[in-house]
Amino acid sequence: MASAETIPVSDALQTLRRVFGYDSFRGDQEAIVEHVIGGGDAVVLMPTGGGKSLCYQIPSLVRPGTGVVVSPLIALMQDQVDALLAVGVRAGFLNSSQDFEQRREVEAAFLAGELDLLYLAPERLSMESTRNLLDRGKVALFAIDEAHCVSQWGHDFRPDYLGLSELHERWPDVPRIALTATATKATHAEIVSRLNLGEARQFVASFDRPNIQYRIVPKAEPKKQLLDLIRTEHPGDAGIVYCLSRNSVEKTAEFLVANGISAVPYHAGLDSRTRARNQARFLREDGLVVVATIAFGMGIDKPDVRFVAHLDLPKSVEGYYQETGRAGRDGLPSTAWLAYGLQDVVQQRRMIQTSEGDDAHRRRLSQHLDAMLALCETVECRRAQLLNYFGQPGQPCGNCDTCLTPPESWDGTIAAQKLLSAVYRLQHERGQKFGAGQIIDILLGKQTPKVTQHRHDQLTVFGVGQELSESEWRGVVRQLLAQGLLAVEGDYGTLLLTEASGEVLGRKREVRMRREPKRAGRAVAATAKRKAAEMPEEARPVFEKLRAWRFEEAKNQGVPAYIVFSDATLRQIATEQPSTLDELAGVSGVGENKLARYGEQVLATLAGGE
Ligand code: ADP
Ligand code: ZN
């Protein structure tokens, strides 16, 4: 491999421009590419959409031999290979979906030195026959994609990834690059130790996703709120909606369809054919909404997902970050929207109480939930809080709901004392436990049948809380639960005091609370402005014409639309309206191959009338 060091790095930039049609590298890409081309090992932590693929694709093209990419996502290998073929890169894959003849063809191409990139599932790489095959050809590098799958504690653990530690012993001269979008230090450390990458250079990018606007809103009528979001801000856009249960996935998808939004469900209870079909439609069609449980999305390369909505509270900040990260891989403005309410806290606390496993496990789940709740209840910038959670610095961003419409924080100590003392009196004077609804009725002094029946109007706290509305009281309960100043138990979500409640009742502790802004109007206005900034209004009809052309082209080829051209590329074409092939070649994302293949068609589409 001594010759590798002599390859000029300018080859990398030339390849980027000629093959992919991009002007320059982004962020750490250049340093990573340079390091791997020179034969070095690398560990790359980069957020989704950061541009990890080029980090191994360019060195595979520049170094002699074939880049071998280990990827756990068999279902997506075809699309990954199609995307490379579309730019004229010679790529193939070997996995269990192929018959013997198809595999033999790919193997022959590899041995003949006719492949730039070869995708493999990890279980295939642990087979001796595959290793022999690689020995007989020339391997330029090993790329280990989704490297967090080696982590046993993560939720994507793949036992076959553990075997990848042997790559180095068998092929000591072949550089290895491990990549992941998982940001935690623990996962990073595990990747390094389990894959024997202690000597590798570590590249840790910022995990900020500046194009994603984070918003967390109080949950009232979640399905209607979702519909409103789609209609006002994301009509015709592709999006993912996450729900906790299969039942709510089904119901929400039906609701959207009944309201004229094209949407499909995706969850583990559907048969595998339906699941595969819905996923394929999502990848191939423009503007489909998938309503899914968290089982959907890993490795989905679709770059133009414009929004990710959560109708239920994610169980951890890691999960939230990973799921919202599927929006806006192409760098264009996107929305991460979460509706969150009291019931979410009650439900998740209960799930933890009744979960299997030991106390340590439950404690871990609780810590995850607490961090998620802190993000929901913060009066600070959501993005800064998110980045801090991953140990990275963050400044107020101007592109999240708390920055755009700052919530007030208020001194909730007296409200908290009233509520906690209602819980206390019920328990100690009456030996009773009740859920939030009854306690709020008591504070508001409502003469409901249930109040009369239990003679709760006789309590000294009856009617002492009329300064707040019912929904404000629900906010108080939610925030007390979030701060551990109140606990819930049982199927009815009855409220209990905690040890820390005593400090509030004893006036030893102040409680700060978040007051929801009345309207999220400014966030919406800012979104409209963002849209205008990214493409002038007069370019929109042209963009739609190009989109229609792309749709037909992709359909004829049987590939996802983004493989023909990304949205970002179409927007730039619509804005600049090039009139010659030379001008078109200057657009980002138009490389040599695509120019030759589509150039005339694009110019004709631009020149054509309505
Ligand atoms: P990741 O795998 O890290 O999520 P991708 O490799 O899919 O990210 O890249 C995300 C998007 O950014 C893709 O559409 C890709 O073509 C584009 N991209 C990556 N690097 C560059 C670059 N240097 N210039 C322009 N676009 C880029
Ligand atoms: Zn912010």
Side-chain angles (χ1 to χ4, degrees):
M1 282 299 140
S3 64
E5 270 89 51
T6 63
I7 294 168
V9 171
S10 63
D11 280 8
L13 190 58
Q14 267 175 26
T15 307
L16 178 77
R17 292 184 175 153
R18 183 175 54 82
V19 177
F20 296 94
Y22 299 139
D23 287 343
S24 54
F25 286 110
R26 277 187 190 156
D28 287 340
Q29 276 176 338
E30 182 164 12
I32 297 166
V33 163
E34 214 170 293
H35 181 71
V36 176
I37 289 177
D41 293 340
V43 175
V44 174
L45 273 66
M46 206 185 257
T48 305
K52 284 185 287 300
S53 327
L54 289 179
C55 295
Y56 57 83
Q57 287 168 350
I58 301 249
S60 298
L61 289 167
V62 173
R63 282 177 66 88
T66 305
V68 173
V69 186
V70 183
S71 162
L73 304 154
I74 292 182
L76 300 172
M77 281 185 190
Q78 183 74 58
D79 286 347
Q80 289 171 321
V81 165
D82 283 344
L84 287 165
L85 294 175
V87 294
V89 171
R90 302 169 304 171
F93 62 83
L94 289 174
N95 69 33
S96 52
S97 74
Q98 296 161 303
D99 61 29
F100 177 76
E101 191 48 36
Q102 289 171 316
R103 277 206 292 270
R104 223 194 44 76
E105 264 174 42
V106 175
E107 290 175 10
F110 167 72
L111 291 173
E114 289 164 2
L115 281 186
D116 301 310
L117 279 141
L118 174 62
Y119 286 75
L120 295 177
E123 51 273 22
R124 193 145 289 271
L125 194 52
S126 49
M127 293 158 57
E128 196 46 40
S129 56
T130 310
R131 297 178 173 207
N132 278 330
L133 173 78
L134 296 184
D135 276 337
R136 284 181 287 138
K138 186 160 182 58
V139 180
L141 58 86
F142 287 107
I144 302 163
D145 205 5
E146 312 286 352
H148 63 280
C149 289
V150 80
S151 157
Q152 265 164 332
W153 304 113
H155 41 282
D156 296 330
F157 176 58
R158 300 289 190 107
D160 286 304
Y161 263 67
L162 295 175
L164 299 175
S165 64
E166 293 162 22
L167 291 178
H168 183 53
E169 288 138 44
R170 179 136 181 173
W171 293 280
D173 297 330
V174 178
R176 295 168 300 152
I177 170 171
L179 312 103
T180 180
T182 303
T184 54
K185 288 208 167 69
T187 312
H188 184 185
E190 230 180 323
I191 291 171
V192 169
S193 73
R194 290 188 190 277
L195 294 178
N196 271 326
L197 284 164
E199 313 269 284
R201 219 173 123 185
Q202 312 290 317
F203 295 90
V204 181
S206 163
F207 272 77
D208 188 15
R209 300 287 310 280
N211 61 312
I212 297 182
Q213 182 176 88
Y214 296 100
R215 277 151 54 191
I216 301 181
V217 305
K219 192 192 274 193
E221 294 172 281
K223 291 208 281 287
K224 272 175 79 179
Q225 290 171 282
L226 171 67
L227 184 63
D228 199 42
L229 171 82
I230 296 176
R231 281 190 174 153
T232 56
E233 295 179 54
H234 291 288
D237 283 347
I240 307 176
V241 178
Y242 286 110
C243 304
L244 266 187
S245 73
R246 295 173 188 184
N247 185 35
S248 55
V249 164
E250 294 283 348
K251 291 253 163 61
T252 306
E254 279 166 24
F255 173 82
L256 290 179
V257 169
N259 283 283
I261 309 283
S262 65
V264 291
Y266 187 100
H267 58 72
L270 294 168
D271 64 274
S272 58
R273 289 253 303 285
T274 311
R275 268 204 323 257
R277 192 177 59 233
N278 289 352
Q279 173 168 315
R281 277 190 62 191
F282 181 65
L283 291 171
R284 277 164 178 67
E285 288 176 24
D286 275 339
L288 188 71
V289 175
V290 168
V291 186
T293 50
I294 49 166
F296 180 80
M298 182 173 59
I300 294 274
D301 274 347
K302 189 176 171 59
D304 54 357
V305 177
R306 291 274 70 86
F307 68 92
V308 169
H310 283 92
L311 291 192
D312 293 303
L313 185 68
K315 294 191 174 72
S316 67
V317 176
E318 284 89 343
Y320 172 76
Y321 179 78
Q322 203 173 60
E323 285 147 23
T324 54
R326 291 170 185 145
R329 283 174 93 111
D330 54 11
L332 296 176
S334 308
T335 309
W337 182 90
L338 159 65
Y340 146 79
L342 173 56
Q343 207 45 41
D344 286 298
V345 192
V346 172
Q347 189 189 8
Q348 297 235 2
R349 289 264 192 247
R350 191 165 67 223
M351 273 162 58
I352 293 174
Q353 277 163 14
T354 56
S355 78
E356 302 192 352
D358 53 11
D359 278 352
H361 176 66
R362 273 192 284 275
R363 221 167 17 248
R364 221 166 25 240
L365 293 178
S366 284
Q367 284 164 358
H368 280 306
L369 178 60
D370 288 344
M372 190 61 224
L373 291 173
L375 179 64
C376 291
E377 302 291 359
T378 187
V379 290
E380 315 280 326
C381 170
R382 307 259 191 219
R383 187 183 315 274
Q385 174 125 352
L386 205 50
L387 289 172
N388 288 340
Y389 181 79
F390 294 119
Q392 298 192 338
Q395 298 299 316
C397 71
N399 192 26
C400 73
D401 55 356
T402 53
C403 282
L404 292 165
T405 330
E408 291 162 30
S409 76
W410 58 292
D411 184 349
T413 314
I414 292 180
Q417 283 166 352
K418 287 180 179 173
L419 194 127
L420 294 176
S421 85
V423 175
Y424 178 86
R425 284 179 193 285
L426 278 174
Q427 200 176 335
H428 289 272
E429 292 174 12
R430 303 284 184 88
Q432 293 172 334
K433 293 177 194 165
F434 279 91
Q438 181 72 358
I439 297 198
I440 292 171
D441 283 348
I442 293 170
L443 291 168
L444 291 173
K446 282 198 192 164
Q447 286 288 359
T448 66
K450 201 165 157 188
V451 164
T452 317
Q453 181 200 339
H454 291 285
R455 291 187 297 107
H456 284 165
D457 44 3
Q458 312 283 308
L459 292 163
T460 49
V461 289
F462 186 75
V464 299
Q466 297 183 17
E467 71 279 16
L468 296 184
S469 70
E470 176 173 347
S471 75
E472 284 168 329
W473 275 117
R474 291 181 75 81
V476 170
V477 175
R478 200 185 69 219
Q479 296 186 65
L480 290 174
L481 283 169
Q483 296 181 30
L485 295 172
L486 196 58
V488 289
E489 75 167 7
D491 286 346
Y492 299 105
T494 53
L495 299 179
L496 301 175
L497 299 186
T498 66
E499 256 170 60
S501 314
E503 294 170 24
V504 179
L505 284 170
R507 300 186 181 158
K508 291 199 199 78
R509 177 164 171 172
E510 202 187 273
V511 187
R512 299 299 304 175
M513 294 204 185
R514 175 187 164 99
R515 191 189 312 279
E516 296 306 332
K518 282 279 174 289
R519 289 176 48 83
R522 271 168 60 194
V524 176
T527 308
K529 250 206 333 258
R530 270 188 310 157
K531 285 233 155 111
E534 114 225 351
M535 183 166 62
E537 210 33 56
E538 59 277 15
R540 186 152 282 278
V542 185
F543 175 71
E544 293 304 335
K545 257 200 305 196
L546 290 166
R547 210 149 86 130
W549 164 77
R550 180 181 67 177
F551 177 75
E552 284 304 318
E553 185 61 38
K555 205 171 73 181
N556 291 339
Q557 293 183 41
V559 298
Y562 68 82
I563 285 183
V564 175
F565 278 125
S566 71
D567 271 11
T569 300
L570 287 196
R571 277 166 205 242
Q572 200 186 336
I573 296 174
T575 308
E576 295 180 2
Q577 309 222 3
S579 55
T580 65
L581 288 176
D582 251 9
E583 284 170 23
L584 181 59
V587 173
S588 179
V590 183
E592 201 177 60
N593 209 58
K594 289 189 180 176
L595 183 70
R597 183 158 184 189
Y598 305 126
E600 297 292 351
Q601 290 184 58
V602 169
L603 294 182
T605 307
L606 287 174
E610 287 313 294

